[in-house]
Amino acid sequence: MSRTSYDRYLTVFSPEGQYAFKAISGSGHTAISVRGKDTAIVITQKKVPDKLLDASTITHLFSITPSIGCVMTGLLADARAQVARARAEAAEFRYKYGYEITPDALARRLANINQVYTQRAAMRPLGISMILIGLDAETGPQVFKLDPAGYFVGFHATAAGQKQQEAMNFLEKKWKKFEGGAEDAAKAGKRLGRSEVIEIGIEAISTVLQTDFKSGEVEIGIVSESPDEPEKTRGKWRVFSESEVEQHLLAYGEKD
């Protein structure tokens, strides 16, 4: 059966995988997320394709609730559509129950919506991978990754996009080097403080893409309840300013 033959049937899936997954791997972007004892971060490339574009309007990081944010990899128009739906679901949850939605409940809801897109002829699966980070009042920082098929799972560290496999291999090796990391990934992760989590994220993206990034070339989003986080933003999702990114890139460069 050729690739075009598979396209003629609604009920037959191509063994090569759906086009939605190809849109993610072919996006030219790589996103990485890491979580520690009190902090979760997402880090991704920031590419400005044209000098005439306003760089401040280009982003792959989005806020969903005050304490939940995400990085989107793939088709940006699809990403905005899913972010709008995520915000609507989170707002409805708050209106109905009187408290903010938890990261796992939001991830599950969005994954269920994604799955519906795979079973109807009139709907196209969204060509994006969403990595969701947030704080849970009971379990602390959380990282979830969702794919276009409606599968979602929690991670200690994960990656999405063009260099996903290389980044995952790097993170797995990194985790094994931690004390007890090979036997108990959760325990090893619980030892990581705010600065270590940020450093691992920067190290992973720099190593995998073999690039020394400047502050305007990466975006970092964070949710942290660490004492090192400014009191005003503690426990809330925010995106680092360019000066903060510069500061952390220099700290990583000096350590290197």
Side-chain angles (χ1 to χ4, degrees):
M1 239 182 185
S2 69
R3 196 167 104 182
T4 47
S5 306
Y6 285 107
D7 292 343
R8 294 197 191 110
Y9 302 96
L10 291 176
T11 52
V12 180
F13 281 77
S14 159
E16 297 167 23
Q18 294 300 314
Y19 298 123
F21 287 91
K22 288 183 181 165
I24 298 162
S25 58
S27 65
H29 275 81
T30 301
I32 288 167
S33 182
V34 183
R35 82 174 201 203
K37 64 178 176 188
D38 53 19
T39 304
I41 68 139
V42 285
I43 181 166
T44 188
Q45 296 158 274
K46 182 169 183 170
K47 292 182 178 176
V48 183
D50 194 318
K51 283 188 170 67
L52 293 175
L53 288 174
D54 179 357
S56 66
T57 63
I58 295 169
T59 184
H60 284 78
L61 303 182
F62 300 91
S63 166
I64 297 171
T65 75
S67 63
I68 300 174
C70 66
V71 61
M72 308 296 269
T73 313
L75 305 175
L76 204 51
D78 285 11
R80 290 184 195 280
Q82 184 159 64
V83 166
R85 181 64 189 263
R87 287 171 179 163
E89 293 293 335
E92 191 182 330
F93 185 97
R94 184 178 166 80
Y95 177 74
K96 197 185 278 186
Y97 300 109
Y99 64 96
E100 292 289 358
I101 194 168
T102 57
D104 68 307
L106 182 61
R108 182 176 286 107
R109 177 70 186 133
L110 291 173
N112 286 343
I113 293 164
N114 279 358
Q115 197 280 327
V116 171
Y117 277 58
T118 68
Q119 64 186 44
R120 303 255 172 98
M123 298 165 98
R124 167 179 73 79
L126 300 174
I128 34 135
S129 175
M130 173 191 258
I131 300 177
L132 198 78
I133 67 168
L135 280 179
D136 188 297
E138 289 177 18
T139 54
Q142 298 282 292
V143 172
F144 290 96
K145 185 162 80 171
L146 292 83
D147 71 18
Y151 178 72
F152 86 101
V153 70
F155 284 93
H156 299 295
T158 188
Q162 196 168 24
K163 299 270 187 182
Q164 176 182 322
Q165 197 51 57
E166 292 94 323
M168 290 297 282
N169 292 344
F170 174 87
L171 291 164
E172 278 172 28
K173 282 178 190 165
K174 190 82 182 165
W175 233 255
K176 280 176 186 170
K177 287 177 187 171
F178 297 144
E179 192 187 330
E183 297 81 41
D184 192 341
K187 213 171 186 178
K190 289 287 180 195
R191 294 195 187 97
L192 299 174
R194 180 180 181 271
S195 57
E196 291 162 301
V197 168
I198 296 166
E199 191 191 308
I200 291 166
I202 292 170
E203 186 186 352
I205 202 163
S206 301
T207 307
V208 167
L209 297 169
Q210 298 176 338
T211 309
D212 290 327
F213 287 104
K214 296 185 182 78
S215 59
E217 295 172 344
V218 285
E219 295 182 287
I220 302 175
I222 187 170
V223 177
S224 178
E225 49 189 0
S226 162
D228 298 337
E229 178 72 13
E231 199 174 336
K232 193 178 164 190
T233 56
R234 203 170 293 160
K236 293 189 170 78
W237 156 268
R238 71 185 182 97
V239 178
F240 278 1
S241 65
E242 266 198 37
S243 58
E244 280 181 289
V245 173
E246 178 76 36
Q247 184 188 326
H248 287 290
L249 287 172
L250 282 172
Y252 166 68
E254 283 164 14
K255 203 166 185 183
D256 210 29

